[in-house]
Amino acid sequence: MTPEDERWTESCSSPVFVHNPHLEEMKDDILYHFGLGTGTHNLPAMFGDVKFVCVGGSPWRMKSFTEYIAAELRMEDPKSEYPNICAGTDRYAMYKVGPVLSVSHGMGIPSIAIMLHELIKLLHHAHCTDVTIVRIGTSGGIGLQPGTVVVTKQSMDATFLPKFEQVILGKTVVRNTDLDPSLAEELLQCSKKLNQFETVIGNTMCTLDFYEGQARLDGAFCSYTEKDKQDYLNKASEAGVCNIEMESSVFAAMCKLSGLRAAVVCVTLLDRLNGDQLNNSQDVLHTYQQRPQILVGYYIKEQLKKMSRS
Amino acid sequence: MTPEDERWTESCSSPVFVHNPHLEEMKDDILYHFGLGTGTHNLPAMFGDVKFVCVGGSPWRMKSFTEYIAAELRMEDPKSEYPNICAGTDRYAMYKVGPVLSVSHGMGIPSIAIMLHELIKLLHHAHCTDVTIVRIGTSGGIGLQPGTVVVTKQSMDATFLPKFEQVILGKTVVRNTDLDPSLAEELLQCSKKLNQFETVIGNTMCTLDFYEGQARLDGAFCSYTEKDKQDYLNKASEAGVCNIEMESSVFAAMCKLSGLRAAVVCVTLLDRLNGDQLNNSQDVLHTYQQRPQILVGYYIKEQLKKMSRS
């Protein structure tokens, strides 16, 4: 046990784990894609109080979430523009309001994986404890009314198996994609209290491609029929898949490895059984995209109330 | 043969192919992640003259490339700010100067694949012909002086095989990752004429992850030793791998399928045999990142000179 491990044990709080003996030997750690580092930034001072991390694909959406949560928590600063903490790079955007960190991750497993490696190291270097992390995203639904919010039970691959395959030194390692079931249930209860939109708990399929990988008929290439597509999506539905996106599997796997309490909350922008193109108006799509923010914002507010009482 | 196919054959010019019979049946095509569409934009008028497309991960870098190429081609407009054609979305950024289109693609195979599906459809809808496409990117080198530019011969996977695996309806389809050998050779000759930095032709390994997937010792998780890492990179080197990045395989596969003449030109930011962290100064890294732009800018200028003579 290192002195640091002992400190965490004594305080009964849950740290953010890295599993890399080499990190201890490094003088500095450059978090390149954040434009941050242990040698250039005081990470404990900047991030030590973080208790909630919300991540999503679009940088605009993560800035808008920050503005929303600041207002909800009555922490808004009318003079402040909520500066992008990662302003030195254009790979990701990061914002912070009180104990809530908001980070964009781009699209797809590789993009979110780079962000999570550096985020987990950041939270570790900053000595954060008891952190809850939620991905608030968009997805295609299967058999759900567009605008329904799905809280992920299990993240599944394109063959409907709950696993994530990580290639290490050219060999495939299979990782578990379990998410925190109690957190999912708490989020569902929050949605019931809010009573503004439909929320369900279900499985989420995570693919490496948006067009052929999700059986869309509208990509540059398509070698299958409408019937092939419907058969595939129906099989997914039989395996409990409620929605399809592109980041949940590696998110679940990496959060589990690092001891972060994690959830995936995605709104469905369309019902894939009825089409492939996102042809709703921008206004409607924008309203849908706010729903995961509203749900997670409500959850965070409730949690902070509980913490202040205890 | 459709009337459109006949038109291309008669004119002896090479179109951009889509392989999707469903597209013909669609009234409109929404290119969602570009914020463009056939029903809302006159794509032939906006893009019909495009002959060169340059793509790269970072939106800032693709804007800077546009400014650079505008100056090189003496097409700069002192009043113009080179507006982002995809301003309606923050998923990708797109700029155009004369016959040169510049598009960002984010990080990783899924992110560039979404962009390429929509780009190939865009070029097809715009009736573009004889298009050359180049990815100008960054990479980690193996045994090369940092700052060396690598023009990719073959894109290889993490087991050093020249293939890309696309999952379609849950089944894996293997695609060829050949790039245009004559274009690679022309780019090498351009570099010799320029004589500003070292350029080599070699194989490029394309991975799904930046940390564990590239045998880095500085991720949040690492279960192998420095010796394991060196053994893996040495095996890659024996297979002809000169550099490692995260987009070339799907780029090569999709460009080949659509008949685009394609090249991958990446600068190496570090020698992975000597380390994992990007600890050079921002100035040095910035200078390195300009090299693919300079090389491809020179190539485009030479090609346009030839076209104007013929």
PDB file of all heavy atoms in Angstrom, chain A residues 19-20 29-30 58 60 90 118 121 175 211-212 217-219 222 277, chain B residues 19-20 29-30 58 60 90 118 121 175 211-212 218-220 222 277:
ATOM      1  N   HIS A  19      -4.421   1.975 -13.331  1.00  0.00           N
ATOM      2  CA  HIS A  19      -3.771   0.676 -13.197  1.00  0.00           C
ATOM      3  C   HIS A  19      -2.553   0.703 -14.087  1.00  0.00           C
ATOM      4  O   HIS A  19      -2.560   0.164 -15.189  1.00  0.00           O
ATOM      5  CB  HIS A  19      -4.717  -0.452 -13.610  1.00  0.00           C
ATOM      6  CG  HIS A  19      -5.926  -0.563 -12.742  1.00  0.00           C
ATOM      7  ND1 HIS A  19      -5.905  -1.240 -11.545  1.00  0.00           N
ATOM      8  CD2 HIS A  19      -7.161  -0.063 -12.869  1.00  0.00           C
ATOM      9  CE1 HIS A  19      -7.107  -1.149 -10.988  1.00  0.00           C
ATOM     10  NE2 HIS A  19      -7.886  -0.442 -11.780  1.00  0.00           N
ATOM     11  N   ASN A  20      -1.533   1.428 -13.652  1.00  0.00           N
ATOM     12  CA  ASN A  20      -0.354   1.593 -14.480  1.00  0.00           C
ATOM     13  C   ASN A  20       0.847   1.914 -13.606  1.00  0.00           C
ATOM     14  O   ASN A  20       1.030   3.066 -13.202  1.00  0.00           O
ATOM     15  CB  ASN A  20      -0.600   2.719 -15.500  1.00  0.00           C
ATOM     16  CG  ASN A  20       0.579   2.889 -16.427  1.00  0.00           C
ATOM     17  OD1 ASN A  20       1.632   2.269 -16.235  1.00  0.00           O
ATOM     18  ND2 ASN A  20       0.426   3.749 -17.422  1.00  0.00           N
ATOM     19  N   ASP A  29       3.407  14.322 -16.067  1.00  0.00           N
ATOM     20  CA  ASP A  29       2.490  13.623 -16.962  1.00  0.00           C
ATOM     21  C   ASP A  29       1.784  14.672 -17.819  1.00  0.00           C
ATOM     22  O   ASP A  29       1.056  15.526 -17.294  1.00  0.00           O
ATOM     23  CB  ASP A  29       1.468  12.802 -16.156  1.00  0.00           C
ATOM     24  CG  ASP A  29       0.589  11.932 -17.056  1.00  0.00           C
ATOM     25  OD1 ASP A  29       0.889  11.823 -18.267  1.00  0.00           O
ATOM     26  OD2 ASP A  29      -0.399  11.360 -16.546  1.00  0.00           O
ATOM     27  N   ILE A  30       2.035  14.622 -19.124  1.00  0.00           N
ATOM     28  CA  ILE A  30       1.394  15.558 -20.053  1.00  0.00           C
ATOM     29  C   ILE A  30       0.111  14.927 -20.567  1.00  0.00           C
ATOM     30  O   ILE A  30       0.144  13.854 -21.170  1.00  0.00           O
ATOM     31  CB  ILE A  30       2.348  15.885 -21.234  1.00  0.00           C
ATOM     32  CG1 ILE A  30       3.618  16.560 -20.722  1.00  0.00           C
ATOM     33  CG2 ILE A  30       1.638  16.758 -22.262  1.00  0.00           C
ATOM     34  CD1 ILE A  30       4.719  16.671 -21.761  1.00  0.00           C
ATOM     35  N   SER A  58     -20.547  16.391 -28.513  1.00  0.00           N
ATOM     36  CA  SER A  58     -20.436  17.716 -29.111  1.00  0.00           C
ATOM     37  C   SER A  58     -19.922  18.761 -28.128  1.00  0.00           C
ATOM     38  O   SER A  58     -20.463  18.905 -27.022  1.00  0.00           O
ATOM     39  CB  SER A  58     -21.829  18.114 -29.613  1.00  0.00           C
ATOM     40  OG  SER A  58     -22.054  19.484 -29.485  1.00  0.00           O
ATOM     41  N   TRP A  60     -20.287  22.011 -28.302  1.00  0.00           N
ATOM     42  CA  TRP A  60     -21.345  23.005 -28.044  1.00  0.00           C
ATOM     43  C   TRP A  60     -22.298  22.502 -26.976  1.00  0.00           C
ATOM     44  O   TRP A  60     -22.721  23.246 -26.096  1.00  0.00           O
ATOM     45  CB  TRP A  60     -22.179  23.270 -29.317  1.00  0.00           C
ATOM     46  CG  TRP A  60     -21.469  23.957 -30.417  1.00  0.00           C
ATOM     47  CD1 TRP A  60     -20.207  24.489 -30.387  1.00  0.00           C
ATOM     48  CD2 TRP A  60     -21.981  24.201 -31.738  1.00  0.00           C
ATOM     49  NE1 TRP A  60     -19.911  25.030 -31.617  1.00  0.00           N
ATOM     50  CE2 TRP A  60     -20.971  24.875 -32.454  1.00  0.00           C
ATOM     51  CE3 TRP A  60     -23.185  23.907 -32.378  1.00  0.00           C
ATOM     52  CZ2 TRP A  60     -21.134  25.260 -33.784  1.00  0.00           C
ATOM     53  CZ3 TRP A  60     -23.346  24.294 -33.698  1.00  0.00           C
ATOM     54  CH2 TRP A  60     -22.337  24.974 -34.391  1.00  0.00           C
ATOM     55  N   ASP A  90      -7.776  21.878 -29.758  1.00  0.00           N
ATOM     56  CA  ASP A  90      -9.152  21.797 -30.285  1.00  0.00           C
ATOM     57  C   ASP A  90      -9.641  20.358 -30.340  1.00  0.00           C
ATOM     58  O   ASP A  90     -10.620  20.055 -31.000  1.00  0.00           O
ATOM     59  CB  ASP A  90      -9.261  22.465 -31.660  1.00  0.00           C
ATOM     60  CG  ASP A  90      -8.397  21.783 -32.697  1.00  0.00           C
ATOM     61  OD1 ASP A  90      -7.544  20.949 -32.330  1.00  0.00           O
ATOM     62  OD2 ASP A  90      -8.566  22.075 -33.888  1.00  0.00           O
ATOM     63  N   GLU A 118      -7.116  10.226 -20.425  1.00  0.00           N
ATOM     64  CA  GLU A 118      -6.573  11.467 -19.865  1.00  0.00           C
ATOM     65  C   GLU A 118      -7.450  12.004 -18.740  1.00  0.00           C
ATOM     66  O   GLU A 118      -6.949  12.555 -17.758  1.00  0.00           O
ATOM     67  CB  GLU A 118      -6.330  12.482 -21.000  1.00  0.00           C
ATOM     68  CG  GLU A 118      -5.311  11.890 -21.974  1.00  0.00           C
ATOM     69  CD  GLU A 118      -4.847  12.797 -23.117  1.00  0.00           C
ATOM     70  OE1 GLU A 118      -5.086  14.002 -23.074  1.00  0.00           O
ATOM     71  OE2 GLU A 118      -4.211  12.251 -24.056  1.00  0.00           O
ATOM     72  N   LYS A 121      -6.691   9.869 -15.592  1.00  0.00           N
ATOM     73  CA  LYS A 121      -5.410  10.313 -15.015  1.00  0.00           C
ATOM     74  C   LYS A 121      -5.577  11.677 -14.348  1.00  0.00           C
ATOM     75  O   LYS A 121      -5.029  11.914 -13.265  1.00  0.00           O
ATOM     76  CB  LYS A 121      -4.333  10.368 -16.099  1.00  0.00           C
ATOM     77  CG  LYS A 121      -3.937   8.978 -16.610  1.00  0.00           C
ATOM     78  CD  LYS A 121      -2.581   8.982 -17.311  1.00  0.00           C
ATOM     79  CE  LYS A 121      -2.600   9.794 -18.593  1.00  0.00           C
ATOM     80  NZ  LYS A 121      -1.248   9.834 -19.224  1.00  0.00           N
ATOM     81  N   ARG A 175     -13.225  -7.000 -22.306  1.00  0.00           N
ATOM     82  CA  ARG A 175     -13.541  -6.280 -21.074  1.00  0.00           C
ATOM     83  C   ARG A 175     -15.048  -6.207 -20.854  1.00  0.00           C
ATOM     84  O   ARG A 175     -15.820  -6.121 -21.795  1.00  0.00           O
ATOM     85  CB  ARG A 175     -12.945  -4.866 -21.111  1.00  0.00           C
ATOM     86  CG  ARG A 175     -11.446  -4.912 -20.926  1.00  0.00           C
ATOM     87  CD  ARG A 175     -10.775  -3.557 -20.901  1.00  0.00           C
ATOM     88  NE  ARG A 175      -9.357  -3.744 -20.579  1.00  0.00           N
ATOM     89  CZ  ARG A 175      -8.402  -2.857 -20.815  1.00  0.00           C
ATOM     90  NH1 ARG A 175      -8.706  -1.701 -21.370  1.00  0.00           N
ATOM     91  NH2 ARG A 175      -7.145  -3.112 -20.501  1.00  0.00           N
ATOM     92  N   TYR A 211     -23.079   4.224 -40.405  1.00  0.00           N
ATOM     93  CA  TYR A 211     -23.873   3.843 -41.588  1.00  0.00           C
ATOM     94  C   TYR A 211     -23.954   2.315 -41.714  1.00  0.00           C
ATOM     95  O   TYR A 211     -24.893   1.703 -41.186  1.00  0.00           O
ATOM     96  CB  TYR A 211     -23.309   4.536 -42.836  1.00  0.00           C
ATOM     97  CG  TYR A 211     -23.624   6.015 -42.839  1.00  0.00           C
ATOM     98  CD1 TYR A 211     -22.716   6.962 -42.377  1.00  0.00           C
ATOM     99  CD2 TYR A 211     -24.866   6.483 -43.266  1.00  0.00           C
ATOM    100  CE1 TYR A 211     -23.033   8.312 -42.356  1.00  0.00           C
ATOM    101  CE2 TYR A 211     -25.190   7.831 -43.250  1.00  0.00           C
ATOM    102  CZ  TYR A 211     -24.272   8.740 -42.798  1.00  0.00           C
ATOM    103  OH  TYR A 211     -24.585  10.075 -42.764  1.00  0.00           O
ATOM    104  N   GLU A 212     -22.996   1.669 -42.366  1.00  0.00           N
ATOM    105  CA  GLU A 212     -23.066   0.210 -42.536  1.00  0.00           C
ATOM    106  C   GLU A 212     -23.104  -0.511 -41.181  1.00  0.00           C
ATOM    107  O   GLU A 212     -23.761  -1.536 -41.032  1.00  0.00           O
ATOM    108  CB  GLU A 212     -21.869  -0.271 -43.353  1.00  0.00           C
ATOM    109  CG  GLU A 212     -21.883   0.209 -44.788  1.00  0.00           C
ATOM    110  CD  GLU A 212     -20.608  -0.173 -45.505  1.00  0.00           C
ATOM    111  OE1 GLU A 212     -19.566   0.464 -45.230  1.00  0.00           O
ATOM    112  OE2 GLU A 212     -20.644  -1.102 -46.323  1.00  0.00           O
ATOM    113  N   LEU A 217     -29.489   2.483 -44.542  1.00  0.00           N
ATOM    114  CA  LEU A 217     -29.604   2.325 -45.996  1.00  0.00           C
ATOM    115  C   LEU A 217     -29.132   3.577 -46.733  1.00  0.00           C
ATOM    116  O   LEU A 217     -29.212   3.627 -47.957  1.00  0.00           O
ATOM    117  CB  LEU A 217     -31.071   2.035 -46.373  1.00  0.00           C
ATOM    118  CG  LEU A 217     -31.686   0.780 -45.725  1.00  0.00           C
ATOM    119  CD1 LEU A 217     -33.184   0.731 -46.013  1.00  0.00           C
ATOM    120  CD2 LEU A 217     -31.012  -0.487 -46.228  1.00  0.00           C
ATOM    121  N   ASP A 218     -28.651   4.593 -46.009  1.00  0.00           N
ATOM    122  CA  ASP A 218     -28.370   5.886 -46.645  1.00  0.00           C
ATOM    123  C   ASP A 218     -26.905   6.300 -46.606  1.00  0.00           C
ATOM    124  O   ASP A 218     -26.579   7.485 -46.713  1.00  0.00           O
ATOM    125  CB  ASP A 218     -29.240   6.984 -46.011  1.00  0.00           C
ATOM    126  CG  ASP A 218     -28.921   7.190 -44.529  1.00  0.00           C
ATOM    127  OD1 ASP A 218     -28.341   6.271 -43.909  1.00  0.00           O
ATOM    128  OD2 ASP A 218     -29.224   8.274 -43.999  1.00  0.00           O
ATOM    129  N   GLY A 219     -25.982   5.344 -46.462  1.00  0.00           N
ATOM    130  CA  GLY A 219     -24.559   5.671 -46.516  1.00  0.00           C
ATOM    131  C   GLY A 219     -24.047   5.708 -47.947  1.00  0.00           C
ATOM    132  O   GLY A 219     -24.806   5.492 -48.897  1.00  0.00           O
ATOM    133  N   CYS A 222     -23.872   0.510 -49.471  1.00  0.00           N
ATOM    134  CA  CYS A 222     -24.882  -0.328 -48.820  1.00  0.00           C
ATOM    135  C   CYS A 222     -25.115  -1.557 -49.685  1.00  0.00           C
ATOM    136  O   CYS A 222     -25.549  -1.447 -50.832  1.00  0.00           O
ATOM    137  CB  CYS A 222     -26.179   0.445 -48.621  1.00  0.00           C
ATOM    138  SG  CYS A 222     -27.440  -0.556 -47.812  1.00  0.00           S
ATOM    139  N   GLN A 277     -32.636   8.628 -41.894  1.00  0.00           N
ATOM    140  CA  GLN A 277     -32.195  10.010 -41.963  1.00  0.00           C
ATOM    141  C   GLN A 277     -32.752  10.814 -40.786  1.00  0.00           C
ATOM    142  O   GLN A 277     -33.861  10.556 -40.302  1.00  0.00           O
ATOM    143  CB  GLN A 277     -32.657  10.638 -43.288  1.00  0.00           C
ATOM    144  CG  GLN A 277     -31.955  10.024 -44.487  1.00  0.00           C
ATOM    145  CD  GLN A 277     -31.162  11.049 -45.268  1.00  0.00           C
ATOM    146  OE1 GLN A 277     -31.670  12.093 -45.634  1.00  0.00           O
ATOM    147  NE2 GLN A 277     -29.895  10.754 -45.522  1.00  0.00           N
TER     148      GLN A 277
ATOM    149  N   HIS B  19     -21.888   3.210 -53.818  1.00  0.00           N
ATOM    150  CA  HIS B  19     -22.356   1.853 -54.098  1.00  0.00           C
ATOM    151  C   HIS B  19     -23.554   1.614 -53.211  1.00  0.00           C
ATOM    152  O   HIS B  19     -23.446   0.963 -52.172  1.00  0.00           O
ATOM    153  CB  HIS B  19     -21.256   0.831 -53.812  1.00  0.00           C
ATOM    154  CG  HIS B  19     -20.063   1.008 -54.679  1.00  0.00           C
ATOM    155  ND1 HIS B  19     -19.987   0.482 -55.948  1.00  0.00           N
ATOM    156  CD2 HIS B  19     -18.907   1.669 -54.489  1.00  0.00           C
ATOM    157  CE1 HIS B  19     -18.829   0.801 -56.486  1.00  0.00           C
ATOM    158  NE2 HIS B  19     -18.152   1.525 -55.625  1.00  0.00           N
ATOM    159  N   ASN B  20     -24.659   2.238 -53.572  1.00  0.00           N
ATOM    160  CA  ASN B  20     -25.849   2.143 -52.736  1.00  0.00           C
ATOM    161  C   ASN B  20     -27.095   2.404 -53.581  1.00  0.00           C
ATOM    162  O   ASN B  20     -27.433   3.562 -53.846  1.00  0.00           O
ATOM    163  CB  ASN B  20     -25.751   3.166 -51.587  1.00  0.00           C
ATOM    164  CG  ASN B  20     -26.934   3.062 -50.655  1.00  0.00           C
ATOM    165  OD1 ASN B  20     -27.881   2.321 -50.926  1.00  0.00           O
ATOM    166  ND2 ASN B  20     -26.889   3.815 -49.563  1.00  0.00           N
ATOM    167  N   ASP B  29     -31.316  13.958 -49.650  1.00  0.00           N
ATOM    168  CA  ASP B  29     -30.302  13.285 -48.839  1.00  0.00           C
ATOM    169  C   ASP B  29     -29.743  14.317 -47.862  1.00  0.00           C
ATOM    170  O   ASP B  29     -29.130  15.313 -48.270  1.00  0.00           O
ATOM    171  CB  ASP B  29     -29.187  12.718 -49.734  1.00  0.00           C
ATOM    172  CG  ASP B  29     -28.189  11.881 -48.943  1.00  0.00           C
ATOM    173  OD1 ASP B  29     -28.457  11.572 -47.762  1.00  0.00           O
ATOM    174  OD2 ASP B  29     -27.133  11.524 -49.513  1.00  0.00           O
ATOM    175  N   ILE B  30     -29.972  14.064 -46.571  1.00  0.00           N
ATOM    176  CA  ILE B  30     -29.452  14.968 -45.531  1.00  0.00           C
ATOM    177  C   ILE B  30     -28.087  14.459 -45.084  1.00  0.00           C
ATOM    178  O   ILE B  30     -27.962  13.323 -44.619  1.00  0.00           O
ATOM    179  CB  ILE B  30     -30.421  15.020 -44.325  1.00  0.00           C
ATOM    180  CG1 ILE B  30     -31.781  15.577 -44.759  1.00  0.00           C
ATOM    181  CG2 ILE B  30     -29.828  15.853 -43.194  1.00  0.00           C
ATOM    182  CD1 ILE B  30     -32.876  15.393 -43.721  1.00  0.00           C
ATOM    183  N   SER B  58      -7.778  17.784 -36.862  1.00  0.00           N
ATOM    184  CA  SER B  58      -8.052  19.001 -36.101  1.00  0.00           C
ATOM    185  C   SER B  58      -8.717  20.081 -36.946  1.00  0.00           C
ATOM    186  O   SER B  58      -8.211  20.431 -38.019  1.00  0.00           O
ATOM    187  CB  SER B  58      -6.715  19.523 -35.540  1.00  0.00           C
ATOM    188  OG  SER B  58      -6.680  20.918 -35.497  1.00  0.00           O
ATOM    189  N   TRP B  60      -8.800  23.307 -36.374  1.00  0.00           N
ATOM    190  CA  TRP B  60      -7.888  24.455 -36.494  1.00  0.00           C
ATOM    191  C   TRP B  60      -6.886  24.221 -37.620  1.00  0.00           C
ATOM    192  O   TRP B  60      -6.586  25.117 -38.397  1.00  0.00           O
ATOM    193  CB  TRP B  60      -7.085  24.670 -35.206  1.00  0.00           C
ATOM    194  CG  TRP B  60      -7.866  25.121 -34.033  1.00  0.00           C
ATOM    195  CD1 TRP B  60      -9.184  25.484 -34.019  1.00  0.00           C
ATOM    196  CD2 TRP B  60      -7.391  25.264 -32.691  1.00  0.00           C
ATOM    197  NE1 TRP B  60      -9.547  25.846 -32.750  1.00  0.00           N
ATOM    198  CE2 TRP B  60      -8.478  25.723 -31.906  1.00  0.00           C
ATOM    199  CE3 TRP B  60      -6.168  25.053 -32.057  1.00  0.00           C
ATOM    200  CZ2 TRP B  60      -8.362  25.965 -30.543  1.00  0.00           C
ATOM    201  CZ3 TRP B  60      -6.047  25.295 -30.707  1.00  0.00           C
ATOM    202  CH2 TRP B  60      -7.131  25.746 -29.950  1.00  0.00           C
ATOM    203  N   ASP B  90     -21.168  21.274 -35.048  1.00  0.00           N
ATOM    204  CA  ASP B  90     -19.793  21.324 -34.535  1.00  0.00           C
ATOM    205  C   ASP B  90     -19.105  19.965 -34.649  1.00  0.00           C
ATOM    206  O   ASP B  90     -18.094  19.727 -34.013  1.00  0.00           O
ATOM    207  CB  ASP B  90     -19.758  21.825 -33.092  1.00  0.00           C
ATOM    208  CG  ASP B  90     -20.507  20.898 -32.154  1.00  0.00           C
ATOM    209  OD1 ASP B  90     -21.247  20.015 -32.624  1.00  0.00           O
ATOM    210  OD2 ASP B  90     -20.361  21.061 -30.929  1.00  0.00           O
ATOM    211  N   GLU B 118     -20.284  10.851 -45.728  1.00  0.00           N
ATOM    212  CA  GLU B 118     -21.002  12.064 -46.138  1.00  0.00           C
ATOM    213  C   GLU B 118     -20.218  12.846 -47.195  1.00  0.00           C
ATOM    214  O   GLU B 118     -20.803  13.438 -48.109  1.00  0.00           O
ATOM    215  CB  GLU B 118     -21.375  12.882 -44.900  1.00  0.00           C
ATOM    216  CG  GLU B 118     -22.294  12.041 -43.999  1.00  0.00           C
ATOM    217  CD  GLU B 118     -22.879  12.737 -42.770  1.00  0.00           C
ATOM    218  OE1 GLU B 118     -22.806  13.968 -42.664  1.00  0.00           O
ATOM    219  OE2 GLU B 118     -23.426  12.002 -41.908  1.00  0.00           O
ATOM    220  N   LYS B 121     -20.713  11.023 -50.579  1.00  0.00           N
ATOM    221  CA  LYS B 121     -22.043  11.349 -51.106  1.00  0.00           C
ATOM    222  C   LYS B 121     -22.078  12.799 -51.600  1.00  0.00           C
ATOM    223  O   LYS B 121     -22.661  13.087 -52.653  1.00  0.00           O
ATOM    224  CB  LYS B 121     -23.119  11.123 -50.035  1.00  0.00           C
ATOM    225  CG  LYS B 121     -23.310   9.645 -49.694  1.00  0.00           C
ATOM    226  CD  LYS B 121     -24.633   9.369 -48.996  1.00  0.00           C
ATOM    227  CE  LYS B 121     -24.739  10.002 -47.640  1.00  0.00           C
ATOM    228  NZ  LYS B 121     -26.062   9.793 -47.026  1.00  0.00           N
ATOM    229  N   ARG B 175     -11.847  -5.468 -45.900  1.00  0.00           N
ATOM    230  CA  ARG B 175     -11.639  -4.569 -47.037  1.00  0.00           C
ATOM    231  C   ARG B 175     -10.158  -4.273 -47.238  1.00  0.00           C
ATOM    232  O   ARG B 175      -9.386  -4.212 -46.288  1.00  0.00           O
ATOM    233  CB  ARG B 175     -12.419  -3.259 -46.832  1.00  0.00           C
ATOM    234  CG  ARG B 175     -13.912  -3.491 -47.021  1.00  0.00           C
ATOM    235  CD  ARG B 175     -14.754  -2.248 -46.913  1.00  0.00           C
ATOM    236  NE  ARG B 175     -16.129  -2.591 -47.269  1.00  0.00           N
ATOM    237  CZ  ARG B 175     -17.193  -1.886 -46.935  1.00  0.00           C
ATOM    238  NH1 ARG B 175     -17.060  -0.773 -46.227  1.00  0.00           N
ATOM    239  NH2 ARG B 175     -18.404  -2.266 -47.295  1.00  0.00           N
ATOM    240  N   TYR B 211      -3.484   4.727 -26.497  1.00  0.00           N
ATOM    241  CA  TYR B 211      -2.640   4.325 -25.365  1.00  0.00           C
ATOM    242  C   TYR B 211      -2.331   2.819 -25.421  1.00  0.00           C
ATOM    243  O   TYR B 211      -1.331   2.413 -26.003  1.00  0.00           O
ATOM    244  CB  TYR B 211      -3.282   4.779 -24.043  1.00  0.00           C
ATOM    245  CG  TYR B 211      -3.171   6.277 -23.863  1.00  0.00           C
ATOM    246  CD1 TYR B 211      -4.217   7.135 -24.201  1.00  0.00           C
ATOM    247  CD2 TYR B 211      -1.996   6.843 -23.386  1.00  0.00           C
ATOM    248  CE1 TYR B 211      -4.092   8.517 -24.056  1.00  0.00           C
ATOM    249  CE2 TYR B 211      -1.863   8.220 -23.241  1.00  0.00           C
ATOM    250  CZ  TYR B 211      -2.906   9.041 -23.566  1.00  0.00           C
ATOM    251  OH  TYR B 211      -2.779  10.402 -23.427  1.00  0.00           O
ATOM    252  N   GLU B 212      -3.201   1.987 -24.856  1.00  0.00           N
ATOM    253  CA  GLU B 212      -2.915   0.539 -24.861  1.00  0.00           C
ATOM    254  C   GLU B 212      -2.799   0.000 -26.289  1.00  0.00           C
ATOM    255  O   GLU B 212      -2.005  -0.897 -26.559  1.00  0.00           O
ATOM    256  CB  GLU B 212      -4.037  -0.203 -24.122  1.00  0.00           C
ATOM    257  CG  GLU B 212      -4.069   0.087 -22.632  1.00  0.00           C
ATOM    258  CD  GLU B 212      -5.293  -0.548 -21.982  1.00  0.00           C
ATOM    259  OE1 GLU B 212      -6.401  -0.033 -22.200  1.00  0.00           O
ATOM    260  OE2 GLU B 212      -5.128  -1.555 -21.283  1.00  0.00           O
ATOM    261  N   ASP B 218       2.031   5.191 -20.834  1.00  0.00           N
ATOM    262  CA  ASP B 218       1.579   6.356 -20.053  1.00  0.00           C
ATOM    263  C   ASP B 218       0.068   6.555 -20.052  1.00  0.00           C
ATOM    264  O   ASP B 218      -0.410   7.661 -19.786  1.00  0.00           O
ATOM    265  CB  ASP B 218       2.287   7.625 -20.545  1.00  0.00           C
ATOM    266  CG  ASP B 218       1.923   7.973 -21.997  1.00  0.00           C
ATOM    267  OD1 ASP B 218       1.480   7.052 -22.727  1.00  0.00           O
ATOM    268  OD2 ASP B 218       2.072   9.134 -22.388  1.00  0.00           O
ATOM    269  N   GLY B 219      -0.711   5.502 -20.321  1.00  0.00           N
ATOM    270  CA  GLY B 219      -2.175   5.615 -20.243  1.00  0.00           C
ATOM    271  C   GLY B 219      -2.666   5.420 -18.820  1.00  0.00           C
ATOM    272  O   GLY B 219      -1.879   5.215 -17.897  1.00  0.00           O
ATOM    273  N   ALA B 220      -3.973   5.481 -18.643  1.00  0.00           N
ATOM    274  CA  ALA B 220      -4.555   5.225 -17.315  1.00  0.00           C
ATOM    275  C   ALA B 220      -4.384   3.758 -16.937  1.00  0.00           C
ATOM    276  O   ALA B 220      -4.331   3.413 -15.760  1.00  0.00           O
ATOM    277  CB  ALA B 220      -6.038   5.594 -17.318  1.00  0.00           C
ATOM    278  N   CYS B 222      -2.108   0.108 -17.916  1.00  0.00           N
ATOM    279  CA  CYS B 222      -1.000  -0.500 -18.662  1.00  0.00           C
ATOM    280  C   CYS B 222      -0.591  -1.781 -17.961  1.00  0.00           C
ATOM    281  O   CYS B 222      -0.158  -1.745 -16.808  1.00  0.00           O
ATOM    282  CB  CYS B 222       0.176   0.466 -18.766  1.00  0.00           C
ATOM    283  SG  CYS B 222       1.549  -0.244 -19.687  1.00  0.00           S
ATOM    284  N   GLN B 277       5.395  10.195 -24.399  1.00  0.00           N
ATOM    285  CA  GLN B 277       4.761  11.490 -24.180  1.00  0.00           C
ATOM    286  C   GLN B 277       5.196  12.497 -25.247  1.00  0.00           C
ATOM    287  O   GLN B 277       6.336  12.451 -25.742  1.00  0.00           O
ATOM    288  CB  GLN B 277       5.146  12.018 -22.786  1.00  0.00           C
ATOM    289  CG  GLN B 277       4.540  11.179 -21.669  1.00  0.00           C
ATOM    290  CD  GLN B 277       3.635  11.974 -20.776  1.00  0.00           C
ATOM    291  OE1 GLN B 277       4.008  13.036 -20.275  1.00  0.00           O
ATOM    292  NE2 GLN B 277       2.426  11.471 -20.553  1.00  0.00           N
TER     293      GLN B 277
END
